[in-house]
Amino acid sequence: MLDKLNIIKQRFDEVNDLIIQPDIISDQKRYATLSKEYKDLKDIMDEREKYIVLSNNIQEAEAIINDSSDDEMLEMAKLQLEESKEALEALEEKIRYMMIPKDPEDAKNAVVEVRAGTGGDEASIFAGDIYKMLTRYSENKGWKVSTVDYSEGTNGGFKEIQFEVSGENVYGTLKYEAGVHRVQRVPQTETQGRVHTSAATVMVFPEAEEFDVEINPKDVRIDYFCSSGPGGQSVNTTYSAVRLTHEPTGIVAQCQDQKSQHKNKEKAFKVLRSRLYEMELAKKQAEDAEKRGNMVTSGDRSAKIRTYNWPQGRVTDHRINLSLYDLDNIINGDLDKVIDELKLVDNTEKLKNISDSL
């Protein structure tokens, strides 16, 4: 393990030198990439220091046990040896997970889209529930949530809603929520008390920086229109809402959340960049998932990932066969218990794939 950590230290020292070079600082993309690598390597270097201390403690304790005849010293050395070995074992496990290659997308902010699926008004209401669940979870994590665009359902909820989430490792966490969410419950509109099944689709895009995707302005048609409120009524008389159409791909991005046309345009371009970036990323994720047989983060938007069963108070994540009888808390944003399990399975799979090199 120490040999591997020493190799990583060589790279850490190299990156440490690179990020202060003027030519690197002037290259925005390269500097951002190296700064992120520096932060990740620095975290491992901190654990390396702990590893060296514990290894030295073990060597000292073993030397005392082999050479000393003092009963009190021997007892203390045995205790130190036991504690240090136990701590070293736990630290090695932690370092192994830290050495798993990081997905560079994980550190990015995210654009999230929730769309009502099959099920009419109930699907829109459920899409609203999923939106609240994801925004509450994000806010509990200390992330900033900002609405981009929405279309309300006729009986509440949303036909679709799009929002940005910014903070630390947002995409790396919210990507586990991408896919089809299914609900089984008695709808508010049901008069006979029958349980219905409805669905909502969640899409999560890593927010693309300008240097990630270059968009030719000639390829984008820009339309301006009045923002609309509930029932489609106009909520202002100025053409502040913006719709962008990327003609080569047909991808549309729009924003009507801000009163300023300029701010709406800026947000819409951010979404358009992220959608174009995600197109390429989805292909790569699907290829990687096929290679690994991994359905935890496959990039497959049509995959049914989770069912929320109201009569039984149960939430089931189908990717890892996890069932929790804690629906009320989960739908109110307590998602860590689900996402942590998904991350654990995902990281375990990655660890298996690189175990020979560790």
Side-chain angles (χ1 to χ4, degrees):
M1 177 66 79
L2 192 55
D3 289 341
K4 290 288 180 188
L5 288 169
N6 288 337
I7 291 169
I8 292 171
K9 186 177 186 304
Q10 289 175 9
R11 175 59 183 166
F12 174 73
D13 292 339
E14 184 183 340
V15 172
N16 194 25
D17 289 337
L18 282 170
I19 57 174
I20 59 172
Q21 303 297 326
D23 58 323
I24 298 292
I25 294 169
S26 63
D27 184 340
Q28 189 184 8
K29 187 173 183 179
R30 185 96 192 278
Y31 182 74
T33 303
L34 285 170
S35 295
K36 176 67 175 66
E37 185 180 0
Y38 174 84
K39 182 180 179 298
D40 291 339
L41 292 174
K42 177 71 169 63
D43 290 342
I44 296 178
M45 288 303 96
D46 291 343
E47 301 308 316
R48 176 181 173 271
E49 292 303 313
K50 294 176 189 175
Y51 189 93
I52 290 169
V53 170
L54 287 171
S55 297
N56 290 339
N57 288 347
I58 288 169
Q59 288 176 6
E60 287 172 9
E62 286 174 341
I64 291 169
I65 290 167
N66 290 333
D67 300 336
S68 178
S69 56
D70 186 308
D71 289 343
E72 191 175 338
M73 285 285 287
L74 281 169
E75 194 61 37
M76 287 174 64
K78 285 176 183 176
L79 184 62
Q80 178 177 304
L81 182 64
E82 186 182 339
E83 288 176 350
S84 297
K85 279 187 172 180
E86 195 176 303
L88 191 68
E89 191 177 327
L91 184 60
E92 282 186 343
E93 186 68 14
K94 181 179 179 181
I95 291 171
R96 283 193 184 93
Y97 277 103
M98 292 178 78
M99 288 167 78
I100 295 170
K102 297 267 194 313
D103 184 338
E105 312 306 325
D106 285 356
K108 292 181 182 288
N109 296 330
V111 177
V112 183
E113 186 173 296
V114 182
R115 284 186 183 174
T118 53
D121 287 342
E122 165 64 1
S124 294
I125 293 166
F126 178 55
D129 292 337
I130 295 296
Y131 163 72
K132 287 174 192 166
M133 177 184 79
L134 294 176
T135 53
R136 282 172 184 161
Y137 174 70
S138 298
E139 286 160 358
N140 289 341
K141 300 285 279 186
W143 298 337
K144 184 184 174 187
V145 178
S146 173
T147 305
V148 174
D149 192 42
Y150 61 90
S151 172
E152 293 184 308
T154 52
N155 267 325
F158 299 96
K159 291 176 184 174
E160 60 182 79
I161 184 163
Q162 204 172 68
F163 55 100
E164 296 174 317
V165 186
S166 54
E168 189 172 342
N169 292 320
V170 172
Y171 178 73
T173 303
L174 290 183
K175 67 182 180 183
Y176 293 99
E177 293 303 294
V180 177
H181 296 243
R182 191 175 67 160
V183 62
Q184 294 172 327
R185 66 182 175 190
V186 178
Q188 297 172 16
T189 51
E190 169 62 53
T191 55
Q192 316 242 342
R194 292 173 300 183
V195 173
H196 287 229
T197 298
S198 303
T201 301
V202 175
M203 287 179 277
V204 183
F205 315 129
E207 187 178 273
E209 304 289 344
E210 285 190 43
F211 52 70
D212 288 327
V213 177
E214 287 184 20
I215 299 174
N216 186 338
K218 293 178 183 176
D219 291 338
V220 181
R221 187 176 80 242
I222 304 176
D223 298 306
Y224 301 102
F225 58 100
C226 293
S227 298
S228 60
Q233 72 215 43
S234 176
V235 294
N236 65 35
T237 53
T238 60
Y239 285 77
S240 60
V242 178
R243 181 184 298 110
L244 307 177
T245 305
H246 186 252
E247 294 187 326
T249 60
I251 290 175
V252 176
Q254 69 179 44
C255 180
Q256 60 173 322
D257 190 57
Q258 304 293 315
K259 291 179 181 177
S260 156
Q261 185 187 91
H262 175 72
K263 286 183 179 176
N264 280 330
K265 186 177 175 183
E266 190 179 302
K267 269 192 171 186
F269 261 107
K270 197 181 284 186
V271 172
L272 181 59
R273 274 197 302 271
S274 297
R275 282 180 173 279
L276 289 167
Y277 190 59
E278 192 266 348
M279 271 179 63
E280 295 305 312
L281 184 64
K283 288 179 195 171
K284 181 179 179 298
Q285 284 177 334
E287 287 167 8
D288 290 349
E290 195 174 338
K291 285 177 197 167
R292 298 198 312 261
N294 176 19
M295 279 302 295
V296 174
T297 52
S298 66
D300 183 358
R301 295 176 185 171
S302 63
K304 182 182 73 178
I305 64 163
R306 197 175 298 146
T307 297
Y308 304 77
N309 185 301
W310 248 260
Q312 296 177 23
R314 185 184 72 233
V315 175
T316 300
D317 196 289
H318 304 289
R319 293 164 291 182
I320 54 174
N321 295 319
L322 173 71
S323 285
L324 296 168
Y325 289 85
D326 194 17
L327 189 148
D328 286 345
N329 285 323
I330 290 170
I331 205 70
N332 279 307
D334 187 8
L335 273 170
D336 275 328
K337 61 193 76 173
V338 183
I339 290 176
D340 286 350
E341 287 297 319
L342 288 162
K343 282 183 175 179
L344 180 62
V345 171
D346 198 19
N347 283 334
T348 302
E349 286 180 6
K350 288 175 184 173
L351 199 54
K352 283 178 188 171
N353 291 330
I354 62 166
S355 58
D356 291 340
S357 66
L358 291 177

